[in-house]
């Protein structure tokens, strides 16, 4: 189960890095820029451990899919970004894809 812990940490750091990226103002602000670099480095570091047990295609699909959902929700909740019906439908498809991969794919180590 440690592969899911590593994947979870990779996702969390990717989300932190992406949210901080919005705050860098084109990498002109030092603190958010530093957070981006460190968060992405940690994200890839933990993702590399995940790839020891989960195929890259599956790990990347989960990492990016869950990351997208979290970033959109955080952007909506804390950054005032709007979600219209097509955006919600698209997020629903991503969520269904993540669930299908986890429940039915024989490529994922359980």
């Amino acid at each position: 189960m440690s592969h899911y812990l590593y994947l979870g940490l990779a996702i969390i750091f990717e989300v932190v890095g992406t949210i901080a990226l919005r705050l860098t103002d084109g990498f002109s602000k030092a603190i958010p820029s530093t957070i981006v670099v460190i968060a992405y480095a940690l994200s890839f570091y933990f993702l590399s451990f995940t790839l020891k047990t989960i195929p890259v295609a599956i790990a990347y699909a989960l990492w990016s899919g869950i990351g997208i959902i979290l970033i959109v929700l955080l952007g909506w909740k804390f950054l005032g970004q709007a979600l219209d019906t097509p955006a919600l439908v698209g997020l629903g498809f991503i969520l269904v894809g993540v669930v299908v991969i986890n429940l039915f794919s024989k490529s994922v180590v359980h």
Side-chain angles (χ1 to χ4, degrees):
M1 286 304 275
S2 64
H3 53 277
Y4 281 114
L5 173 63
Y6 292 137
L7 182 58
L9 289 169
I11 292 167
I12 289 168
F13 283 115
E14 188 263 337
V15 168
V16 168
T18 302
I19 295 296
L21 187 60
R22 183 181 183 278
L23 305 174
T24 66
D25 195 27
F27 282 99
S28 65
K29 295 182 179 176
I31 292 174
S33 298
T34 303
I35 291 170
V36 169
V37 171
I38 291 170
Y40 275 120
L42 287 169
S43 178
F44 285 116
Y45 175 75
F46 287 113
L47 186 61
S48 73
F49 289 117
T50 303
L51 298 178
K52 290 181 179 183
T53 55
I54 298 176
V56 67
I58 301 297
Y60 187 75
L62 295 172
W63 178 72
S64 61
I66 294 168
I68 289 167
I69 291 168
L70 290 174
I71 289 165
V72 168
L73 292 174
L74 290 170
W76 169 71
K77 180 74 175 170
F78 297 108
L79 302 175
Q81 297 175 347
L83 294 175
D84 59 8
T85 301
L88 293 171
V89 170
L91 288 171
F93 284 135
I94 293 170
L95 186 58
V96 167
V98 168
V99 170
V100 167
I101 289 170
N102 277 296
L103 292 181
F104 301 109
S105 176
K106 292 183 181 12
S107 298
V108 177
V109 179
H110 292 284

XYZ file of all heavy atoms in Angstrom:
841
model
N 0.801 -1.209 0.000
C 0.000 0.000 0.000
C 0.843 1.272 0.000
O 0.311 2.352 -0.156
C -0.926 0.020 1.211
C -2.116 -0.926 1.106
S -3.105 -0.620 -0.352
C -4.171 0.662 0.195
N 2.163 1.150 0.187
C 2.990 2.361 0.218
C 2.972 3.086 -1.121
O 3.173 4.303 -1.162
C 4.421 2.024 0.623
O 5.028 1.196 -0.347
N 2.685 2.352 -2.217
C 2.642 3.020 -3.512
C 1.516 4.046 -3.565
O 1.638 5.074 -4.214
C 2.537 2.010 -4.658
C 1.426 1.030 -4.522
N 1.546 -0.110 -3.753
C 0.191 1.011 -5.040
C 0.411 -0.785 -3.804
N -0.430 -0.124 -4.579
N 0.409 3.773 -2.858
C -0.674 4.758 -2.809
C -0.315 5.940 -1.916
O -0.722 7.064 -2.177
C -1.985 4.121 -2.346
C -2.673 3.357 -3.449
C -2.815 1.979 -3.384
C -3.165 4.013 -4.575
C -3.438 1.277 -4.397
C -3.782 3.330 -5.594
C -3.915 1.964 -5.505
O -4.522 1.282 -6.518
N 0.452 5.717 -0.878
C 0.936 6.816 -0.040
C 1.848 7.723 -0.868
O 1.695 8.947 -0.860
C 1.689 6.284 1.174
C 2.397 7.345 2.036
C 1.388 8.297 2.651
C 3.231 6.683 3.107
N 2.778 7.118 -1.603
C 3.667 7.903 -2.460
C 2.885 8.649 -3.539
O 3.166 9.812 -3.826
C 4.726 7.012 -3.110
C 5.725 6.438 -2.146
C 6.121 5.111 -2.231
C 6.297 7.219 -1.145
C 7.047 4.578 -1.347
C 7.219 6.698 -0.259
C 7.594 5.370 -0.366
O 8.506 4.853 0.511
N 1.899 7.983 -4.130
C 1.083 8.636 -5.150
C 0.300 9.797 -4.537
O 0.213 10.875 -5.124
C 0.140 7.638 -5.815
C -0.732 8.182 -6.940
C 0.112 8.784 -8.051
C -1.633 7.079 -7.481
N -0.255 9.601 -3.355
C -0.982 10.668 -2.673
C -0.094 11.872 -2.387
O -0.494 13.022 -2.605
N 1.125 11.606 -1.925
C 2.067 12.704 -1.670
C 2.447 13.410 -2.972
O 2.536 14.640 -3.013
C 3.313 12.179 -0.961
C 3.101 11.752 0.493
C 4.329 11.004 1.017
C 2.788 12.954 1.366
N 2.651 12.637 -4.040
C 2.971 13.237 -5.335
C 1.844 14.151 -5.804
O 2.093 15.249 -6.313
C 3.242 12.143 -6.373
N 0.615 13.715 -5.609
C -0.544 14.514 -6.011
C -0.635 15.785 -5.173
O -0.844 16.879 -5.705
C -1.837 13.688 -5.911
C -1.835 12.588 -6.975
C -3.070 14.571 -6.052
C -2.896 11.520 -6.768
N -0.467 15.653 -3.875
C -0.560 16.819 -2.984
C 0.485 17.866 -3.367
O 0.182 19.057 -3.491
C -0.419 16.404 -1.508
C -1.676 15.644 -1.068
C -0.163 17.619 -0.612
C -1.536 14.936 0.266
N 1.730 17.435 -3.575
C 2.779 18.394 -3.930
C 2.550 18.997 -5.315
O 2.843 20.171 -5.541
C 4.166 17.763 -3.817
C 4.635 17.638 -2.393
C 4.826 16.395 -1.815
C 4.875 18.761 -1.623
C 5.250 16.274 -0.499
C 5.298 18.662 -0.304
C 5.483 17.410 0.257
N 1.997 18.216 -6.243
C 1.685 18.756 -7.569
C 0.605 19.823 -7.473
O 0.695 20.869 -8.120
C 1.238 17.619 -8.494
C 1.069 18.034 -9.930
C -0.364 18.363 -10.292
O -1.280 17.884 -9.605
O -0.562 19.104 -11.276
N -0.399 19.586 -6.642
C -1.474 20.562 -6.451
C -0.930 21.830 -5.792
O -1.244 22.943 -6.220
C -2.627 19.941 -5.633
C -3.622 20.997 -5.175
C -3.332 18.855 -6.446
N -0.105 21.674 -4.772
C 0.500 22.837 -4.117
C 1.326 23.637 -5.118
O 1.224 24.872 -5.190
C 1.370 22.400 -2.908
C 2.244 23.549 -2.404
C 0.504 21.858 -1.789
N 2.128 22.956 -5.920
C 2.944 23.637 -6.910
C 2.118 24.378 -7.946
O 2.442 25.504 -8.334
N 1.033 23.758 -8.383
C 0.196 24.388 -9.403
C -0.549 25.598 -8.854
O -0.635 26.634 -9.520
C -0.794 23.365 -9.990
O -0.036 22.281 -10.542
C -1.665 23.975 -11.063
N -1.059 25.496 -7.649
C -1.735 26.648 -7.032
C -0.721 27.777 -6.814
O -1.004 28.942 -7.089
C -2.432 26.249 -5.713
C -3.566 25.250 -5.966
C -2.933 27.480 -4.964
C -4.721 25.780 -6.795
N 0.473 27.424 -6.340
C 1.506 28.450 -6.128
C 1.939 29.080 -7.447
O 2.284 30.261 -7.488
C 2.707 27.847 -5.399
N 1.888 28.300 -8.534
C 2.279 28.822 -9.842
C 1.443 30.041 -10.230
O 1.943 31.006 -10.798
C 2.139 27.722 -10.894
C 2.643 28.014 -12.294
C 4.137 28.330 -12.282
C 2.359 26.825 -13.193
N 0.172 30.004 -9.873
C -0.711 31.142 -10.163
C -0.269 32.396 -9.407
O -0.490 33.507 -9.850
C -2.151 30.798 -9.798
C -3.121 31.918 -10.152
C -4.534 31.559 -9.749
N -5.481 32.570 -10.134
C -5.723 33.683 -9.450
N -5.052 33.941 -8.350
N -6.630 34.547 -9.862
N 0.354 32.200 -8.271
C 0.742 33.319 -7.414
C 2.131 33.886 -7.740
O 2.535 34.875 -7.148
C 0.706 32.877 -5.948
C -0.623 32.270 -5.465
C -0.480 31.745 -4.046
C -1.741 33.291 -5.565
N 2.857 33.266 -8.679
C 4.228 33.704 -8.969
C 4.315 34.980 -9.788
O 5.375 35.602 -9.830
C 5.009 32.620 -9.743
O 4.424 32.451 -11.040
C 5.069 31.315 -8.984
N 3.226 35.348 -10.451
C 3.214 36.522 -11.335
C 4.348 36.420 -12.354
O 5.205 37.298 -12.453
C 3.305 37.807 -10.518
C 2.933 39.051 -11.330
O 2.147 38.920 -12.294
O 3.434 40.138 -11.005
N 4.332 35.290 -13.078
C 5.374 35.080 -14.093
C 6.746 34.823 -13.494
O 7.749 35.233 -14.062
N 6.790 34.176 -12.376
C 8.024 33.883 -11.637
C 8.759 35.148 -11.214
O 9.975 35.157 -11.053
C 8.957 32.951 -12.430
C 8.520 31.512 -12.381
C 7.803 30.961 -13.431
C 8.824 30.720 -11.293
C 7.380 29.644 -13.395
C 8.414 29.407 -11.244
C 7.688 28.862 -12.297
N 8.011 36.221 -10.987
C 8.633 37.462 -10.519
C 8.559 37.607 -9.001
O 9.159 38.527 -8.447
C 7.970 38.668 -11.188
O 6.610 38.769 -10.783
N 7.843 36.723 -8.340
C 7.748 36.750 -6.873
C 8.507 35.549 -6.321
O 8.211 34.398 -6.639
C 6.284 36.725 -6.437
C 5.530 37.977 -6.876
C 4.102 37.962 -6.402
C 3.399 39.236 -6.852
N 1.979 39.222 -6.502
N 9.473 35.841 -5.461
C 10.421 34.820 -5.007
C 9.786 33.690 -4.200
O 10.069 32.518 -4.450
C 11.537 35.473 -4.197
N 8.948 34.025 -3.232
C 8.423 32.984 -2.351
C 7.510 32.012 -3.096
O 7.742 30.795 -3.031
C 7.746 33.598 -1.109
C 8.811 34.267 -0.230
C 6.983 32.527 -0.316
C 8.282 35.024 0.953
N 6.505 32.485 -3.824
C 5.685 31.515 -4.565
C 6.500 30.739 -5.611
O 6.264 29.547 -5.824
C 4.613 32.359 -5.240
C 4.592 33.653 -4.516
C 5.961 33.834 -3.947
N 7.474 31.388 -6.233
C 8.313 30.713 -7.227
C 9.123 29.591 -6.591
O 9.255 28.501 -7.161
C 9.244 31.712 -7.906
O 8.497 32.680 -8.605
N 9.654 29.849 -5.409
C 10.406 28.826 -4.677
C 9.498 27.666 -4.294
O 9.890 26.498 -4.400
C 11.061 29.444 -3.426
O 11.905 30.528 -3.832
C 11.873 28.422 -2.659
N 8.289 27.984 -3.867
C 7.326 26.936 -3.514
C 7.019 26.055 -4.730
O 6.962 24.828 -4.614
C 6.032 27.550 -2.937
C 6.322 28.168 -1.567
C 4.914 26.513 -2.842
C 5.188 29.009 -1.011
N 6.855 26.677 -5.896
C 6.585 25.916 -7.120
C 7.704 24.921 -7.390
O 7.459 23.737 -7.621
C 6.401 26.856 -8.339
C 6.401 26.079 -9.637
C 5.124 27.663 -8.202
N 8.930 25.389 -7.375
C 10.072 24.536 -7.697
C 10.193 23.389 -6.694
O 10.355 22.222 -7.072
C 11.370 25.369 -7.764
C 12.598 24.481 -7.880
C 11.304 26.360 -8.919
N 10.085 23.687 -5.424
C 10.208 22.651 -4.392
C 9.042 21.669 -4.467
O 9.244 20.453 -4.394
C 10.316 23.297 -2.994
C 11.646 24.033 -2.855
C 10.161 22.242 -1.893
C 11.764 24.905 -1.619
N 7.837 22.184 -4.629
C 6.659 21.311 -4.663
C 6.701 20.371 -5.863
O 6.421 19.169 -5.733
C 5.382 22.144 -4.678
N 7.059 20.889 -7.035
C 7.147 20.020 -8.211
C 8.283 19.005 -8.075
O 8.142 17.853 -8.476
C 7.289 20.828 -9.495
C 5.965 21.272 -10.056
C 5.684 22.612 -10.224
C 4.985 20.350 -10.413
C 4.465 23.040 -10.731
C 3.764 20.756 -10.919
C 3.512 22.101 -11.088
O 2.301 22.511 -11.588
N 9.405 19.417 -7.502
C 10.511 18.474 -7.287
C 10.067 17.345 -6.360
O 10.332 16.168 -6.633
C 11.724 19.205 -6.712
N 9.373 17.689 -5.276
C 8.881 16.663 -4.357
C 7.812 15.794 -5.015
O 7.762 14.582 -4.792
C 8.344 17.309 -3.083
C 9.407 17.873 -2.143
C 8.760 18.717 -1.043
C 10.243 16.751 -1.548
N 6.980 16.397 -5.839
C 5.955 15.633 -6.537
C 6.588 14.564 -7.427
O 6.199 13.391 -7.379
C 5.069 16.566 -7.368
O 4.100 15.807 -8.067
N 7.564 14.956 -8.223
C 8.226 13.987 -9.095
C 9.031 12.965 -8.297
O 9.133 11.797 -8.688
C 9.101 14.694 -10.128
C 8.295 15.322 -11.226
C 8.292 16.692 -11.393
C 7.524 14.554 -12.084
C 7.546 17.292 -12.397
C 6.771 15.131 -13.095
C 6.777 16.506 -13.253
N 9.601 13.386 -7.201
C 10.345 12.472 -6.330
C 9.417 11.348 -5.843
O 9.741 10.160 -5.971
C 10.936 13.252 -5.157
C 11.631 12.404 -4.123
C 12.885 11.867 -4.375
C 11.036 12.150 -2.900
C 13.536 11.090 -3.429
C 11.670 11.375 -1.941
C 12.923 10.841 -2.212
O 13.554 10.075 -1.273
N 8.265 11.716 -5.301
C 7.334 10.697 -4.800
C 6.694 9.907 -5.939
O 6.436 8.712 -5.800
C 6.282 11.322 -3.887
C 6.833 11.712 -2.548
C 6.925 13.046 -2.179
C 7.293 10.760 -1.656
C 7.456 13.413 -0.949
C 7.824 11.105 -0.429
C 7.908 12.435 -0.070
N 6.461 10.541 -7.068
C 5.919 9.827 -8.222
C 6.901 8.754 -8.686
O 6.487 7.669 -9.098
C 5.604 10.805 -9.352
C 4.903 10.222 -10.574
C 3.542 9.631 -10.205
C 4.735 11.296 -11.646
N 8.185 9.014 -8.564
C 9.184 8.015 -8.984
C 9.087 6.746 -8.139
O 9.302 5.645 -8.647
C 10.596 8.604 -8.916
O 11.035 8.754 -7.586
N 8.750 6.865 -6.866
C 8.560 5.676 -6.026
C 7.303 4.911 -6.427
O 7.265 3.690 -6.388
C 8.482 6.051 -4.542
C 9.797 6.489 -3.972
C 9.962 7.771 -3.484
C 10.877 5.631 -3.928
C 11.176 8.187 -2.964
C 12.099 6.025 -3.413
C 12.244 7.307 -2.924
N 6.277 5.648 -6.800
C 5.031 5.033 -7.257
C 5.291 4.170 -8.481
O 4.713 3.085 -8.623
C 3.998 6.127 -7.592
O 3.794 6.934 -6.438
C 2.689 5.535 -8.038
N 6.164 4.629 -9.363
C 6.419 3.930 -10.624
C 7.163 2.620 -10.449
O 7.291 1.848 -11.399
C 7.180 4.850 -11.582
C 6.433 6.122 -11.985
C 7.292 6.977 -12.896
C 5.101 5.793 -12.633
N 7.624 2.328 -9.238
C 8.240 1.027 -8.973
C 7.197 -0.088 -8.958
O 7.531 -1.239 -9.216
C 8.988 1.052 -7.641
C 10.240 1.901 -7.659
C 10.938 1.848 -6.316
C 12.197 2.679 -6.337
N 12.922 2.593 -5.056
N 5.935 0.251 -8.657
C 4.904 -0.786 -8.531
C 3.684 -0.568 -9.424
O 2.924 -1.496 -9.639
C 4.414 -0.893 -7.070
O 3.969 0.389 -6.631
C 5.509 -1.399 -6.155
N 3.497 0.640 -9.911
C 2.338 0.935 -10.764
C 2.870 1.345 -12.137
O 3.777 2.177 -12.223
C 1.484 2.073 -10.164
C 0.922 1.670 -8.801
C 0.337 2.431 -11.097
C 0.142 2.777 -8.097
N 2.326 0.767 -13.216
C 2.776 1.169 -14.556
C 2.641 2.673 -14.770
O 1.714 3.303 -14.271
C 1.834 0.400 -15.496
C 1.334 -0.744 -14.691
C 1.286 -0.254 -13.265
N 3.556 3.239 -15.541
C 3.611 4.684 -15.719
C 2.298 5.240 -16.272
O 1.858 6.315 -15.849
C 4.828 5.102 -16.587
C 4.697 4.629 -18.011
C 5.050 6.600 -16.516
N 1.665 4.559 -17.205
C 0.416 5.064 -17.791
C -0.682 5.171 -16.740
O -1.432 6.155 -16.703
C -0.034 4.168 -18.936
N -0.769 4.192 -15.877
C -1.799 4.190 -14.834
C -1.464 5.236 -13.771
O -2.314 6.024 -13.358
C -1.935 2.795 -14.192
C -2.305 1.740 -15.247
C -2.917 2.816 -13.042
C -3.630 1.955 -15.916
N -0.213 5.258 -13.320
C 0.195 6.229 -12.288
C -0.014 7.655 -12.785
O -0.529 8.507 -12.050
C 1.652 6.003 -11.897
N 0.367 7.912 -14.033
C 0.218 9.262 -14.569
C -1.247 9.643 -14.715
O -1.628 10.782 -14.425
C 0.948 9.396 -15.910
C 0.957 10.813 -16.406
C 1.793 11.764 -15.830
C 0.099 11.226 -17.414
C 1.796 13.079 -16.264
C 0.089 12.532 -17.857
C 0.938 13.458 -17.281
O 0.922 14.755 -17.706
N -2.083 8.696 -15.138
C -3.516 8.976 -15.259
C -4.112 9.330 -13.903
O -4.906 10.273 -13.780
C -4.241 7.777 -15.867
N -3.737 8.594 -12.878
C -4.252 8.877 -11.537
C -3.691 10.194 -11.008
O -4.422 11.018 -10.453
C -3.911 7.728 -10.588
C -4.575 6.396 -10.905
C -4.011 5.296 -10.015
C -6.083 6.487 -10.763
N -2.392 10.393 -11.167
C -1.727 11.610 -10.685
C -2.336 12.848 -11.329
O -2.707 13.799 -10.630
C -0.244 11.485 -11.015
C 0.641 12.629 -10.649
C 1.035 12.997 -9.395
C 1.278 13.536 -11.551
N 1.889 14.078 -9.475
C 2.057 14.421 -10.777
C 1.288 13.675 -12.937
C 2.817 15.438 -11.349
C 2.047 14.685 -13.504
C 2.805 15.545 -12.704
N -2.476 12.817 -12.631
C -3.008 14.000 -13.305
C -4.513 14.148 -13.104
O -5.002 15.254 -12.882
C -2.658 13.973 -14.798
O -3.211 12.837 -15.423
N -5.257 13.051 -13.144
C -6.713 13.128 -12.989
C -7.138 13.634 -11.625
O -7.944 14.562 -11.507
N -6.573 13.044 -10.597
C -6.916 13.484 -9.236
C -6.402 14.903 -9.002
O -7.079 15.724 -8.385
C -6.362 12.493 -8.187
C -7.068 11.132 -8.336
C -6.539 13.034 -6.772
C -6.418 10.008 -7.556
N -5.207 15.189 -9.526
C -4.661 16.544 -9.401
C -5.551 17.582 -10.058
O -5.804 18.648 -9.495
N -6.061 17.273 -11.252
C -6.959 18.198 -11.949
C -8.200 18.474 -11.118
O -8.607 19.623 -10.942
C -7.354 17.643 -13.333
C -6.174 17.699 -14.286
C -8.550 18.402 -13.908
C -6.376 16.904 -15.563
N -8.794 17.422 -10.603
C -10.018 17.589 -9.806
C -9.738 18.463 -8.579
O -10.488 19.396 -8.280
C -10.594 16.225 -9.394
C -11.144 15.512 -10.640
C -11.682 16.375 -8.332
C -11.479 14.059 -10.428
N -8.648 18.181 -7.879
C -8.327 18.969 -6.679
C -8.021 20.426 -7.022
O -8.464 21.340 -6.314
C -7.153 18.336 -5.938
C -7.439 17.000 -5.260
C -6.151 16.405 -4.690
C -8.494 17.159 -4.181
N -7.277 20.651 -8.086
C -6.931 22.028 -8.469
C -8.181 22.809 -8.856
O -8.352 23.968 -8.464
C -5.885 22.028 -9.597
C -4.546 21.563 -9.038
C -5.749 23.411 -10.229
C -3.532 21.170 -10.080
N -9.067 22.181 -9.605
C -10.304 22.863 -10.003
C -11.143 23.190 -8.771
O -11.664 24.306 -8.643
C -11.104 22.015 -11.011
C -12.503 22.559 -11.207
C -10.376 21.956 -12.339
N -11.261 22.242 -7.855
C -12.057 22.496 -6.652
C -11.435 23.588 -5.779
O -12.147 24.454 -5.261
C -12.245 21.199 -5.858
C -13.113 20.146 -6.537
C -13.117 18.849 -5.722
C -14.528 20.652 -6.766
N -10.120 23.575 -5.636
C -9.453 24.622 -4.847
C -9.552 25.976 -5.546
O -9.744 27.000 -4.885
C -7.991 24.249 -4.606
C -7.759 23.087 -3.646
C -6.296 22.654 -3.664
C -8.201 23.442 -2.237
N -9.422 25.981 -6.864
C -9.577 27.232 -7.615
C -10.976 27.805 -7.462
O -11.158 29.019 -7.339
N -11.958 26.932 -7.461
C -13.353 27.362 -7.282
C -13.579 27.881 -5.871
O -14.138 28.956 -5.675
C -14.289 26.186 -7.589
C -15.708 26.412 -7.195
C -16.606 27.244 -7.781
C -16.384 25.785 -6.108
N -17.816 27.178 -7.133
C -17.702 26.279 -6.096
C -16.010 24.847 -5.152
C -18.642 25.869 -5.151
C -16.946 24.438 -4.227
C -18.240 24.960 -4.241
N -13.102 27.133 -4.881
C -13.364 27.467 -3.472
C -12.568 28.688 -2.997
O -13.105 29.552 -2.314
C -13.037 26.252 -2.599
C -13.263 26.439 -1.126
C -14.718 26.441 -0.781
C -14.875 26.519 0.728
N -16.220 26.753 1.131
N -11.289 28.760 -3.352
C -10.432 29.781 -2.763
C -9.996 30.890 -3.726
O -9.558 31.945 -3.281
C -9.185 29.138 -2.146
C -9.502 28.201 -1.024
C -9.362 26.834 -1.193
C -9.972 28.673 0.188
C -9.667 25.957 -0.158
C -10.281 27.809 1.227
C -10.134 26.442 1.048
N -10.077 30.649 -5.028
C -9.620 31.649 -5.989
C -10.765 32.263 -6.774
O -10.540 33.058 -7.676
C -8.591 31.032 -6.945
C -7.346 30.430 -6.290
C -6.470 29.757 -7.322
C -6.573 31.474 -5.511
N -11.995 31.876 -6.446
C -13.162 32.464 -7.073
C -13.344 32.112 -8.537
O -13.999 32.848 -9.270
N -12.781 31.001 -8.977
C -12.920 30.603 -10.369
C -14.255 29.894 -10.581
O -14.668 29.073 -9.772
C -11.744 29.719 -10.782
C -10.435 30.486 -10.686
C -9.215 29.643 -10.964
O -9.269 28.435 -11.010
N -8.091 30.317 -11.140
N -14.920 30.224 -11.673
C -16.258 29.702 -11.938
C -16.209 28.308 -12.556
O -15.286 27.980 -13.298
C -16.998 30.648 -12.883
N -17.218 27.514 -12.230
C -17.397 26.197 -12.829
C -18.767 26.166 -13.497
O -19.785 26.233 -12.818
C -17.325 25.096 -11.768
C -15.980 24.894 -11.080
C -16.097 23.852 -9.985
C -14.938 24.468 -12.101
N -18.769 26.062 -14.832
C -20.041 25.961 -15.536
C -20.379 24.483 -15.756
O -19.622 23.584 -15.363
C -20.014 26.742 -16.846
C -18.928 26.283 -17.799
O -18.272 25.251 -17.537
O -18.731 26.964 -18.816
N -21.516 24.241 -16.369
C -21.987 22.866 -16.560
C -20.994 22.013 -17.357
O -20.699 20.888 -16.934
C -23.378 22.861 -17.211
O -24.276 23.584 -16.358
C -23.891 21.448 -17.395
N -20.473 22.486 -18.485
C -19.495 21.654 -19.197
C -18.259 21.306 -18.349
O -17.736 20.195 -18.435
C -19.107 22.505 -20.410
C -20.288 23.382 -20.637
C -20.819 23.691 -19.256
N -17.809 22.249 -17.539
C -16.663 21.980 -16.669
C -17.004 20.890 -15.659
O -16.201 19.986 -15.420
C -16.225 23.250 -15.942
N -18.177 20.958 -15.082
C -18.597 19.953 -14.109
C -18.767 18.584 -14.764
O -18.379 17.559 -14.180
C -19.888 20.387 -13.423
C -19.759 21.612 -12.512
C -21.132 22.089 -12.048
C -18.861 21.304 -11.321
N -19.316 18.550 -15.972
C -19.463 17.283 -16.691
C -18.084 16.694 -16.986
O -17.844 15.494 -16.781
C -20.283 17.482 -17.985
C -20.228 16.236 -18.863
C -21.729 17.831 -17.658
N -17.167 17.516 -17.460
C -15.813 17.050 -17.738
C -15.122 16.517 -16.498
O -14.458 15.473 -16.531
N -15.275 17.210 -15.375
C -14.711 16.728 -14.114
C -15.330 15.407 -13.708
O -14.657 14.527 -13.169
C -14.911 17.767 -13.013
C -14.041 19.004 -13.123
C -14.486 20.053 -12.117
C -12.588 18.643 -12.921
N -16.616 15.268 -13.963
C -17.292 14.000 -13.676
C -16.688 12.859 -14.476
O -16.469 11.761 -13.949
N -16.385 13.108 -15.756
C -15.753 12.084 -16.588
C -14.368 11.710 -16.045
O -13.990 10.535 -16.027
C -15.639 12.544 -18.038
C -16.927 12.500 -18.809
C -17.287 13.562 -19.612
C -17.783 11.414 -18.733
C -18.466 13.541 -20.335
C -18.974 11.377 -19.443
C -19.323 12.439 -20.251
N -13.620 12.706 -15.632
C -12.299 12.433 -15.059
C -12.444 11.583 -13.804
O -11.729 10.595 -13.619
C -11.546 13.749 -14.749
C -11.198 14.470 -16.050
C -10.286 13.479 -13.923
C -10.669 15.877 -15.853
N -13.374 11.946 -12.942
C -13.600 11.198 -11.710
C -14.008 9.757 -12.006
O -13.507 8.814 -11.389
C -14.658 11.895 -10.850
C -14.916 11.320 -9.475
C -13.642 11.295 -8.641
C -15.987 12.114 -8.769
N -14.896 9.570 -12.967
C -15.311 8.215 -13.358
C -14.104 7.432 -13.865
O -13.925 6.263 -13.522
C -16.443 8.267 -14.408
C -16.660 6.907 -15.055
C -17.728 8.761 -13.777
N -13.249 8.075 -14.647
C -12.053 7.406 -15.149
C -11.130 6.956 -14.030
O -10.616 5.830 -14.054
N -10.933 7.791 -13.043
C -10.093 7.433 -11.900
C -10.697 6.246 -11.153
O -9.993 5.298 -10.788
C -9.897 8.650 -10.957
C -9.274 8.232 -9.632
C -9.043 9.710 -11.642
N -12.005 6.261 -10.953
C -12.675 5.163 -10.249
C -12.573 3.868 -11.047
O -12.255 2.807 -10.501
C -14.149 5.529 -9.954
C -14.929 4.322 -9.451
C -14.222 6.665 -8.932
N -12.812 3.939 -12.346
C -12.730 2.747 -13.192
C -11.326 2.148 -13.149
O -11.166 0.925 -13.011
C -13.158 3.068 -14.644
C -12.780 1.951 -15.599
C -14.656 3.339 -14.708
N -10.314 2.984 -13.263
C -8.937 2.488 -13.200
C -8.693 1.774 -11.881
O -8.150 0.669 -11.845
C -7.918 3.638 -13.395
C -7.926 4.119 -14.844
C -6.511 3.203 -12.984
C -7.132 5.398 -15.075
N -9.100 2.385 -10.780
C -8.829 1.799 -9.471
C -9.628 0.547 -9.178
O -9.152 -0.362 -8.526
C -9.045 2.841 -8.367
C -7.835 3.720 -8.192
O -6.777 3.258 -7.820
N -7.983 4.982 -8.508
N -10.856 0.507 -9.642
C -11.708 -0.652 -9.322
C -11.548 -1.814 -10.294
O -11.680 -2.971 -9.896
C -13.179 -0.218 -9.279
C -13.578 0.712 -8.143
C -15.076 1.034 -8.230
C -13.252 0.094 -6.786
N -11.288 -1.530 -11.561
C -11.370 -2.590 -12.555
C -10.074 -2.919 -13.285
O -9.973 -3.970 -13.892
C -12.454 -2.243 -13.583
C -13.808 -2.057 -12.965
C -14.380 -0.796 -12.887
C -14.503 -3.122 -12.429
C -15.629 -0.601 -12.304
C -15.735 -2.949 -11.836
C -16.305 -1.695 -11.776
N -9.088 -2.043 -13.254
C -7.855 -2.311 -13.998
C -7.005 -3.336 -13.269
O -6.777 -3.233 -12.064
C -7.062 -1.021 -14.183
O -5.846 -1.313 -14.816
N -6.548 -4.312 -14.012
C -5.623 -5.314 -13.459
C -4.179 -4.779 -13.470
O -3.269 -5.425 -12.986
C -5.734 -6.605 -14.246
C -7.075 -7.296 -14.044
C -7.129 -8.600 -14.780
C -8.415 -9.351 -14.672
N -9.577 -8.817 -14.158
N -3.998 -3.585 -14.031
C -2.660 -2.977 -14.086
C -2.278 -2.340 -12.768
O -1.102 -2.088 -12.533
C -2.630 -1.893 -15.171
O -2.894 -2.448 -16.426
N -3.263 -2.049 -11.923
C -2.996 -1.397 -10.637
C -2.743 -2.463 -9.582
O -3.485 -3.422 -9.459
C -4.201 -0.503 -10.212
C -3.947 0.109 -8.858
C -4.427 0.563 -11.249
N -1.667 -2.286 -8.831
C -1.340 -3.203 -7.732
C -2.230 -2.870 -6.560
O -2.301 -1.730 -6.116
C 0.155 -3.049 -7.338
C 0.479 -3.975 -6.198
C 1.043 -3.307 -8.530
N -2.938 -3.863 -6.044
C -3.828 -3.613 -4.883
C -3.290 -4.213 -3.628
O -2.530 -5.047 -3.507
C -5.218 -4.176 -5.137
C -5.952 -3.443 -6.227
N -6.515 -2.205 -6.035
C -6.186 -3.759 -7.519
C -7.082 -1.806 -7.159
N -6.895 -2.743 -8.077
